[in-house]
Amino acid sequence: SSEEEENGVQDMDWEVLDNNDNDDNVAPAAAAASRSKSAFLKLEVISGSQKGQEVSFGGDYHDTVVVGREPSSSTAKALKDSAKLALMQDDRVSSIHAKFVIASKKNLHSVRVTDMSSSSSDEATLVNGTRLASGKSRQAFVGDKITVGGSILQVKRA
């Protein structure tokens, strides 16, 4: 009889533990909702007049970043679902110079870089020193350096 009571208590304890586990599962969800946003990658200005400026993308952020002297201009409104990295102090950068779109496959992330500078611009977009023709794209990865006008950006993990 005392064994049955012990078994009953043990069963009760297990049931209580299960209920506590369910209650605990609510707390992390609430905590996740209140935590700061997470990003997969960031673009950081590593050389140029705005060294240290950065923008995060992917994850909870936009998947597209537009870089230029005036990336919020009326021309850029077509790219409204994108983050903007303004390099206003770099007079060698076009109004809208380049577009960066994150590509993710499982936990691997890369960036599709597209040159959007005017064809008359002397300052093209370079990925690791290789020039992109106007309107053309190239894949970039963490650690790669992208030259935009007189600034050098680097793709980094967020």
Side-chain angles (χ1 to χ4, degrees), residues 45 47-53 68-71 85-94 148-151:
V45 181
S47 178
S49 58
Q50 292 175 252
K51 182 178 178 179
Q53 189 174 349
R69 201 171 45 245
E70 299 172 35
L85 179 58
L87 299 175
M88 294 182 281
Q89 297 171 13
D90 189 341
D91 60 359
R92 294 168 52 191
V93 173
S94 299
V148 176
S151 301

Side-chain angles (χ1 to χ4, degrees), residues 2-54:
S2 65
E3 277 185 47
E4 289 175 14
E5 286 177 58
E6 284 180 29
N7 287 339
V9 170
Q10 286 178 346
D11 288 343
M12 180 73 87
D13 287 344
W14 282 108
E15 188 172 330
V16 170
L17 287 175
D18 287 343
N19 287 339
N20 284 342
D21 285 346
N22 289 339
D23 290 342
D24 288 346
N25 287 337
V26 175
S34 66
R35 75 171 189 246
S36 62
K37 291 181 174 182
S38 66
F40 296 140
L41 299 175
K42 66 181 178 179
L43 281 177
E44 183 180 338
V45 181
I46 61 168
S47 178
S49 58
Q50 292 175 252
K51 182 178 178 179
Q53 189 174 349
E54 63 182 42

Side-chain angles (χ1 to χ4, degrees), residues 38-44 46 54-58 61 102 107-111 140-144 154-158:
S38 66
F40 296 140
L41 299 175
K42 66 181 178 179
L43 281 177
E44 183 180 338
I46 61 168
E54 63 182 42
V55 63
S56 297
F57 60 119
Y61 290 86
I102 193 167
N107 286 330
L108 301 175
H109 311 289
S110 64
V111 180
F141 302 92
V142 171
D144 286 352
Q154 188 170 33
V155 179
K156 296 186 173 187
R157 286 189 178 84

Side-chain angles (χ1 to χ4, degrees), residues 56-73:
S56 297
F57 60 119
D60 296 329
Y61 290 86
H62 291 292
D63 288 341
T64 302
V65 175
V66 177
V67 176
R69 201 171 45 245
E70 299 172 35
S72 297
S73 68

